[in-house]
Amino acid sequence: MSVLVLGGAGYIGSHAVYQLIDQGENVVVIDSLETGHKQAVHPNATFYEGDIRNIDFLRGVFQKESIASVVHFAANSLVGESMEDPLKYFDNNVYGTQVLLRVMVEHDVKSIVFSSTAATYGEPEAVPITETMPTNPANAYGETKLTMEKLMKWTEQAHGIKYVSLRYFNVAGARETGEIGEDHRPETHLVPIILQAALGQRSHITIFGEDYDTADGTCVRDYVHVEDLIQAHLLALDYLNGGGKSDIFNLGSNQGFSVKEMIDTARQVTGKEIPVMPGDRRAGDPSVLIASSEKAKNILGWQPARTSITKIMEDAWHWHVARPNGYVEGADNK
Ligand code: UFG
């Protein structure tokens, strides 16, 4: 039997595939390679290139492979792009998940671990954010993820497919052994942008707003190491296979760091100057997002071990130094 990882060539999905294979699982990967990278797919995984909205393609994979459970990362995930082209996001994310669930029903596959986001909450009423707080997405991306959660809820009622939805806060870092890491094109995330500036690939990093109601005026986020994050997925699979009920969990480190603190950490880790420029606020950015992950710790037994921001930055830096152009040699990765 195999675990099917959808989006296994992406940043977070590829780390899941590596850890599943470390654990001795047989892994089947599906990725459209629209944003993923073929080189990020573990050489021992069985890889199918294709789009999950194509039901015949998906049925073909489920017919050929013996799938025990599913881990679903395949989605578009850029907040800004989702505001410009919400229909692309509903089509790929929501409709894609609808097709996936249809094929899971047909093949009697009963468990799915699902990649969700803190963006389902919108601007929080208070921090740390717990799973019982209201969901009110401030962008189309977050709305699609919330809708995908609801698709799973109703599919469970009708067909008994159990799900765990994991709401990520700010994922960063890279696999410690350095084979895989973060490579988005275009890059919009803070940590890789800071490190590209440290490498001299960018002249500077622009700070999006210095007038927030925070200690130093810049936005505060909860950064979680990608390897810790993936361990929660493996625990969630065990939990579902052990008869656990469908549920939703936040994944963060329960601590907030400002944009300026992240840049200072990167200066210490890299020994580089990292020039900064002040910029305007970015539309839709909440000032402070910090997770409570007590529920994941209590119910799944999650024990994040890499919560130091220095450790997260060091692992990301090793990846960027080893692969300054990411997976595509000579390409512009800005
Ligand atoms: N930032 C800058 N300059 C940059 C890039 C980012 O100042 O060049 C700031 C942002 O304004 C924000 C912080 O750095 O305050 C983190 O920004 P990211 O883009 O790295 O991450 P976000 O917090 O915007 O987004 C993350 C995930 C999204 C998810 C969202 C949920 O990447 O997928 O959290 O709120 F939707």
Side-chain angles (χ1 to χ4, degrees):
M1 297 293 277
S2 301
V3 178
L4 173 63
V5 179
L6 301 127
Y11 166 45
I12 300 174
S14 61
H15 284 79
V17 174
Y18 269 72
Q19 280 197 28
L20 284 163
I21 288 176
D22 288 347
Q23 208 177 258
E25 303 284 351
N26 293 321
V27 180
V28 176
V29 170
I30 290 179
D31 201 294
S32 69
L33 300 183
E34 181 194 327
T35 54
H37 303 277
K38 180 88 188 291
Q39 302 93 313
V41 178
H42 194 294
N44 295 347
T46 306
F47 176 57
Y48 293 89
E49 181 179 343
D51 191 314
I52 61 168
R53 290 168 293 186
N54 179 345
I55 196 161
D56 293 330
F57 161 71
L58 210 53
R59 280 179 175 142
V61 175
F62 274 76
Q63 270 154 21
K64 229 172 139 194
E65 304 292 341
S66 177
I67 308 293
S69 43
V70 170
V71 190
H72 180 27
F73 300 96
N76 292 115
S77 62
L78 297 178
V79 170
E81 186 188 50
S82 81
M83 298 302 278
E84 283 159 23
D85 195 355
L87 298 181
K88 170 179 175 175
Y89 276 66
F90 278 88
D91 187 42
N92 193 25
N93 297 3
V94 178
Y95 178 63
T97 301
Q98 193 178 318
V99 174
L100 169 64
L101 290 169
R102 161 86 51 219
V103 177
M104 285 177 69
V105 170
E106 288 171 3
H107 289 266
D108 204 30
V109 177
K110 291 287 189 203
S111 55
I112 176 167
V113 174
F114 168 69
S115 157
S116 187
T117 171
T120 52
Y121 295 108
E123 180 78 50
E125 288 172 353
V127 292
I129 301 171
T130 61
E131 294 82 353
T132 52
M133 286 185 183
T135 46
N136 188 19
N139 54 62
Y141 165 66
E143 192 78 67
T144 62
K145 289 280 175 167
L146 189 59
T147 310
M148 292 151 86
E149 289 183 351
K150 288 177 180 167
L151 274 181
M152 287 186 289
K153 175 182 132 182
W154 295 107
T155 306
E156 179 190 6
Q157 284 207 16
H159 304 288
I161 295 178
K162 296 260 186 273
Y163 67 91
V164 163
S165 178
L166 300 172
R167 291 181 177 164
Y168 310 158
F169 283 66
N170 288 59
V171 188
R175 187 168 161 92
E176 279 137 345
T177 41
E179 306 97 315
I180 49 173
E182 190 165 9
D183 180 4
H184 296 110
R185 291 158 200 266
E187 190 52 77
T188 63
H189 296 90
L190 182 67
V191 170
I193 286 178
I194 293 174
L195 296 178
Q196 287 173 357
L199 280 172
Q201 294 175 328
R202 294 174 187 263
S203 58
H204 64 277
I205 154 123
T206 304
I207 298 179
F208 296 149
E210 295 181 322
D211 58 350
Y212 284 96
D213 186 15
T214 59
D216 66 17
T218 65
C219 286
V220 170
R221 294 287 182 273
D222 182 334
Y223 294 87
V224 53
H225 196 295
V226 64
E227 291 284 82
D228 282 344
L229 183 99
I230 295 307
Q231 285 193 344
H233 294 65
L234 305 192
L235 291 165
L237 278 174
D238 289 346
Y239 164 85
L240 287 176
N241 292 335
K245 71 175 181 60
S246 296
D247 213 336
I248 294 173
F249 301 93
N250 289 340
L251 297 180
S253 295
N254 300 55
Q255 52 187 353
F257 292 94
S258 73
V259 173
K260 285 187 175 168
E261 285 174 321
M262 294 300 285
I263 295 167
D264 284 342
T265 305
R267 286 179 176 139
Q268 283 160 21
V269 166
T270 65
K272 308 283 182 187
E273 185 197 346
I274 312 182
V276 300
M277 296 274 282
D280 293 337
R281 287 185 177 200
R282 189 171 66 178
D285 270 349
S287 58
V288 180
L289 287 175
I290 300 174
S292 163
S293 297
E294 291 311 304
K295 187 175 168 188
K297 289 177 183 165
N298 292 336
I299 296 180
L300 299 179
W302 188 43
Q303 293 179 313
R306 305 163 184 85
T307 53
S308 138
I309 204 66
T310 303
K311 167 73 177 155
I312 293 174
M313 198 65 80
E314 280 171 357
D315 288 344
W317 179 236
H318 289 151
W319 158 255
H320 280 271
V321 170
R323 302 287 288 262
N325 295 308
Y327 291 107
V328 188
E329 283 306 320
D332 182 357
N333 56 351
K334 291 177 199 161

